[in-house]
Amino acid sequence: MPWREASPLDIKREVVLRALEPDANKSELAREHGISRKTLYKWLNRFRDGGLAGLEDRSRCPHERRVACSGEMVLQLLELRQEHPTWGPKKLRAVALRTASPKDVPSVRSIARMLKRAGMVRGRRRSSALVTTDRSAPQPVVKEPNDLWTFDFKGWWTTGDGTRCEPLTVRDAASRYLLAIDAFARPRQMDVRRVSERLFQLHGLPRAILVDNGSPFACTRARGGLSQLSAWWISLGITFHRSRPAHPQDNGGHERMHSDLAKEIESNPAPTLVEEQALLDEWRKTFNEVRPHESLGMRCPAEVYRSSPRRYQGSRRMVYPDHFQTRQVSANGCCHFEGHQIRISKALAGFKVGLLREANRIHIRFYDLNLGAIELPERAA
């Protein structure tokens, strides 16, 4: 005669009835049946509330079902995702809430499932954790708009007619506001300076600027890593920061913005550079005024950014301590001091530097920036 298999409900009933016996050891009973004490007491409570019927399995469905969103809302969200393929469920929901009632807009998780069903989500490749031993990363203080601007050139691509397009992008770190995105054929110091002057006149001066180590922003072979452009920024009263070589994470927010730009603009280039600039202008407007940012509480950068109170008034007057002597740097990057020709840097041509001699060393300053020291050769006896 075959053994009769006990159902889960039969096991529950047996356990509960044995647990209700006088002097029953509930801990031992739970171990015997491979359940936790918490589960045993849950069954006991259900039995006291509903008898044996209370031990039957209960549905895990929510007590109240959310009303499914309309087909029109689904279509709106999918069209918005098609238009902005880098926007995730949180951004899509935030934009939809601007024109619809919260009860008509699905939750973030529902939108994520919707995108997955529509085939609009690609799997991410898992990356290994980045371990960094270099602790010399720049650490500018960023609390308010204009505390830090970041400059960079997006990698180049070609337009439909074969013209090279390499946009210069300028971003406010605190508000994420994209101050400029100008398409150029190649990165040139004169173009960056012209864009800088336009932005300084329009928005005022930032307290600091962060760039990478490439031309025309910096020169790793020059004193202080300065180029003509960064020397000019310092002369205006702007603190100059450089990211570490091969460490794009030092300017991670800017790099992320470039990644979105590559997916939405670079992947589908315009026929000409002029038309490409028009697309970039429209993309910048959307980035600043439409696209919500989670780090800003789902607000747009334009809602957070405000101009700097520091007005653009040209280079500052140079004032060095009394014990320093002042010399102007010539076009070849040198100056004369106590019978010696001192090589400073061509990036500082036309500027005055402060020099201080200590024994056979000459210390060099450019405004508040220490440019190190030069060892003088020993004079022949």
Side-chain angles (χ1 to χ4, degrees), residues 29 50 83 121 191 249 251 278 356:
L29 187 61
E83 187 178 351
V121 178
D191 292 325
Q249 66 270 28
N251 196 5
L356 174 65

Side-chain angles (χ1 to χ4, degrees), residues 267-288:
S267 60
N268 187 26
T272 66
L273 191 61
V274 173
E275 292 173 280
E276 195 75 277
Q277 182 62 64
L279 290 178
L280 292 172
D281 291 340
E282 184 61 31
W283 191 86
R284 173 177 170 264
K285 182 178 177 65
T286 300
F287 185 91
N288 286 338

Side-chain angles (χ1 to χ4, degrees), residues 326-331 333-336 344 348-353 355:
T326 304
R327 296 290 187 274
Q328 182 164 325
V329 181
S330 64
C334 299
C335 65
H336 289 85
I344 309 294
L348 302 183
F351 287 108
K352 291 181 179 180
V353 294
L355 304 175

Side-chain angles (χ1 to χ4, degrees), residues 31-253:
R31 282 196 299 270
E32 178 185 340
H33 288 82
I35 61 175
S36 66
R37 285 168 53 88
K38 181 178 179 181
T39 299
L40 175 56
Y41 281 105
K42 179 178 71 174
W43 292 352
L44 286 169
N45 290 333
R46 287 184 178 179
F47 176 79
R48 292 188 182 102
D49 292 340
L52 292 175
L55 297 177
E56 294 183 3
D57 289 335
R58 298 181 180 182
S59 173
R60 290 185 171 86
C61 293
H63 297 294
E64 295 182 4
R65 287 183 176 271
R66 183 186 175 98
V67 178
C69 65
S70 66
E72 183 180 352
M73 175 56 67
V74 173
L75 184 61
Q76 177 185 334
L77 290 166
L78 294 181
E79 287 178 346
L80 191 60
R81 170 69 174 208
Q82 258 185 335
E83 187 178 351
H84 305 285
T86 62
W87 291 12
K90 289 183 180 180
K91 288 183 173 58
L92 296 175
R93 186 171 191 273
V95 173
L97 285 171
R98 294 174 187 169
T99 56
S101 169
K103 67 178 182 180
D104 297 325
V105 181
S107 67
V108 171
R109 294 184 65 181
S110 295
I111 296 175
R113 289 193 294 268
M114 185 189 307
L115 297 177
K116 188 173 182 179
R117 286 196 298 269
M120 292 184 171
V121 178
R122 292 186 299 176
R124 288 186 178 181
R125 179 184 299 176
R126 290 183 174 269
S127 58
S128 57
L130 180 65
V131 179
T132 304
T133 56
D134 187 351
R135 298 185 181 275
S136 60
Q139 296 181 335
V141 177
V142 180
K143 295 182 178 179
E144 299 179 347
N146 307 301
D147 278 347
L148 179 71
W149 289 6
T150 55
F151 282 66
D152 198 6
F153 273 97
K154 171 73 182 69
W156 65 273
W157 66 86
T158 56
T159 59
D161 60 2
T163 302
R164 179 177 170 131
C165 174
E166 188 161 4
L168 168 69
T169 54
V170 186
R171 174 179 175 269
D172 176 66
S175 67
R176 281 65 173 170
Y177 189 79
L178 189 53
L179 295 149
I181 177 166
D182 288 35
F184 297 108
R186 60 185 60 84
R188 298 189 304 173
Q189 182 264 340
M190 60 182 296
D191 292 325
V192 181
R193 176 158 178 163
R194 188 173 69 250
V195 172
S196 297
E197 285 187 303
R198 185 188 79 212
L199 295 178
F200 296 159
Q201 291 169 351
L202 183 62
H203 299 292
L205 297 178
R207 295 190 180 279
I209 285 176
L210 172 65
V211 297
D212 61 22
N213 289 274
S215 176
F217 306 119
C219 179
T220 55
R221 299 183 304 276
R223 287 188 174 275
L226 297 179
S227 65
Q228 290 181 329
L229 176 67
S230 50
W232 172 65
W233 283 338
I234 290 175
S235 77
L236 301 178
I238 300 171
T239 303
F240 176 58
H241 295 285
R242 290 184 297 151
S243 61
R244 296 168 295 172
H247 284 72
Q249 66 270 28
D250 288 348
N251 196 5

Side-chain angles (χ1 to χ4, degrees), residues 291-308:
R291 181 183 189 267
H293 286 245
E294 188 174 353
S295 59
L296 302 177
M298 302 313 288
R299 291 178 295 172
C300 298
E303 298 177 72
V304 179
Y305 182 73
R306 59 183 182 275
S307 293
S308 170

